[in-house]
Amino acid sequence: GDSVTQMEGPVTLSEEAFLTINCTYTATGYPSLFWYVQYPGEGLQLLLKATKADDKGSNKGFEATYRKETTSFHLEKGSVQVSDSAVYFCALSDKGTSGSRLTFGEGTQLTVNP
Amino acid sequence: KAGVTQTPRYLIKTRGQQVTLSCSPISGHRSVSWYQQTPGQGLQFLFEYFSETQRNKGNFPGRFSGRQFSNSRSEMNVSTLELGDSALYLCASSNSIGVNTEAFFGQGTRLTVV
């Protein structure tokens, strides 16, 4: 079945540091890929998405590129801020399944210190 | 416009009881999905409804059920509660179904079973 694997957390960085959160996936079909962010006490918010190979999703300084050859969708940001502290989830939606079902990774807790 | 509204936000129930959670999607959205979030299992898909029909179901026991009304509002029910059902239950709505559809999440209902 479908699965998503994220790098183990938590991740602690200083403000303005470079961020990478690794994400790899297994899917039976040709999935769309997403990064969601969850702030404390909140639901999930879509951060960015990519729907086909070599697509780059970007938002709020975050970027991720859909790499079909390595089945990866790593999240990057050049300079993190304290306000980026949250839990980040990589997810996929597989064309091989019906509907809009999302399969999530384990989540990575990011803490950015001033 | 108003986001996804879940009620109640917090709930404490006794083992063996049953519970009903409610989700009002964004106006105009016809698809509603439910997810369970726990520290041990992460985010797991429960079910998806579109136009009052269940389109997709996750791997949960029959104690977990749901429905969608003609106004797209959705409820999920858990009968014979177990301690392991303690979780954050998240509802997501979207304006269609499909792998590229953006899901908008509510803040969730925190269920504690004692």
Side-chain angles (χ1 to χ4, degrees):
Chain A
D2 298 343
S3 66
V4 176
T5 302
Q6 289 182 231
M7 66 182 292
E8 293 185 10
V11 174
T12 302
L13 296 173
S14 298
E15 205 165 23
E16 299 184 3
F18 184 85
L19 168 71
T20 299
I21 301 178
N22 290 337
C23 170
T24 58
Y25 68 89
T26 302
T28 53
Y30 194 151
S32 293
L33 303 174
F34 306 83
W35 277 99
Y36 280 85
V37 58
Q38 186 175 33
Y39 297 100
E42 301 291 322
L44 277 69
Q45 300 174 24
L46 179 65
L47 183 59
L48 52 85
K49 71 176 184 180
T51 59
K52 61 183 186 295
D54 300 325
D55 263 4
K56 178 185 282 189
S58 61
N59 185 27
K60 300 180 181 179
F62 291 90
E63 293 183 340
T65 301
Y66 189 142
R67 299 290 187 199
K68 193 168 187 291
E69 65 277 12
T70 55
T71 62
S72 65
F73 192 54
H74 305 322
L75 182 68
E76 296 183 336
K77 187 175 185 182
S79 176
V80 295
Q81 306 300 312
V82 172
S83 57
D84 294 327
S85 298
V87 182
Y88 292 81
F89 293 92
C90 184
L92 69 81
S93 182
D94 193 348
K95 288 183 170 64
T97 62
S98 61
S100 309
R101 172 179 186 159
L102 289 164
T103 300
F104 288 92
E106 309 87 356
T108 300
Q109 173 76 57
L110 170 66
T111 301
V112 180
N113 295 318
Chain B
K1 64 185 166 182
V4 178
T5 303
Q6 291 188 246
T7 57
R9 288 292 310 277
Y10 302 92
L11 207 48
I12 299 175
K13 288 288 189 178
T14 302
R15 193 171 44 182
Q17 288 186 313
Q18 67 102 26
V19 68
T20 299
L21 312 182
S22 179
C23 172
S24 293
I26 292 172
S27 178
H29 284 193
R30 295 165 62 193
S31 172
V32 173
S33 299
W34 290 88
Y35 293 84
Q36 181 195 65
Q37 185 177 23
T38 60
Q41 299 297 317
L43 280 154
Q44 294 188 289
F45 173 80
L46 280 156
F47 23 66
E48 176 183 28
Y49 288 87
F50 183 79
S51 295
E52 301 178 67
T53 302
Q54 187 179 88
R55 294 303 180 104
N56 213 341
K57 189 177 191 304
N59 189 25
F60 278 82
R63 299 186 297 108
F64 292 81
S65 62
R67 59 178 175 169
Q68 186 180 33
F69 302 95
S70 58
N71 62 358
S72 295
R73 191 177 69 84
S74 178
E75 289 181 346
M76 68 163 282
N77 185 78
V78 188
S79 62
T80 319
L81 284 165
E82 301 176 359
L83 297 178
D85 297 332
S86 294
L88 180 67
Y89 289 88
L90 292 166
C91 167
S93 79
S94 56
N95 58 11
S96 65
I97 58 173
V99 295
N100 300 328
T101 301
E102 178 177 351
F104 295 83
F105 284 80
Q107 292 184 292
T109 294
R110 172 76 63 185
L111 171 65
T112 302
V113 182
V114 298

